[in-house]
């Protein structure tokens, strides 16, 4: 699991350096449509960030927590999930992990501010 966390940190660092944060407006529209259609929403920010405001009904599963893969692994893999964070970096990293775990219907909601 330490290797997974090191890779996650590396991916997030590279994404931040390259300015890959956030989603396009079409991705945000897809996320909002999925939420309206009943998709499960996952906020991958820290509990403190989640407590400061979140999408109604969102699950809080911190992608930086050592048990992230274990917690999302308990979710049904055949549902639609919208994943978001503060800027879009952590949601992209979370989606990569979820894809590795066999999830297929994932939408990167990007930044919380785009969905709220």
């Amino acid at each position: 699991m330490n290797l997974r966390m090191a890779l996650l940190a590396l991916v997030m660092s590279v994404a931040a350096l390259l300015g890959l944060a956030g989603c396009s407006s079409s991705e945000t529209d897809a996320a909002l449509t999925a939420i309206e259609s009943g998709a499960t929403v996952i906020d991958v920010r820290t509990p403190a960030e989640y407590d400061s405001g979140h999408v109604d009904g969102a699950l809080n599963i911190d992608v930086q927590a050592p048990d992230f893969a274990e917690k999302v692994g308990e979710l049904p893999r055949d549902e639609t999930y919208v994943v978001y964070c503060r800027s879009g970096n952590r949601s992209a990293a979370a989606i990569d992990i979820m894809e590795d775990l066999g999830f297929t219907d994932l939408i990167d909601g990007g930044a919380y501010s785009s969905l709220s």
Side-chain angles (χ1 to χ4, degrees):
M1 188 54 82
N2 288 336
L3 178 59
R4 183 176 293 275
M5 293 308 294
L7 289 172
L8 173 62
L10 177 63
V11 167
M12 290 174 26
S13 297
V14 170
L17 287 173
L18 296 176
L20 299 176
C23 293
S24 69
S25 62
S26 63
E27 290 171 314
T28 300
D29 290 345
L32 291 170
T33 299
I35 292 168
E36 290 173 7
S37 297
T40 300
V41 182
I42 302 175
D43 182 327
V44 297
R45 300 175 300 157
T46 65
E49 289 174 296
Y50 178 86
D51 289 343
S52 71
H54 56 270
V55 172
D56 286 341
L59 303 173
N60 181 218
I61 308 176
D62 183 354
V63 71
Q64 295 174 321
D67 61 349
F68 175 78
E70 180 182 330
K71 285 186 177 179
V72 296
E74 295 171 358
L75 299 172
R77 284 163 174 72
D78 60 347
E79 292 186 12
T80 301
Y81 295 93
V82 174
V83 182
Y84 74 91
C85 63
R86 183 185 56 82
S87 66
N89 289 328
R90 288 176 284 178
S91 59
I95 284 177
D96 286 343
I97 294 168
M98 292 177 76
E99 286 174 341
D100 288 346
L101 293 171
F103 291 87
T104 58
D105 196 358
L106 301 167
I107 300 167
D108 190 339
Y112 166 65
S113 61
S114 299
L115 300 177
S116 59

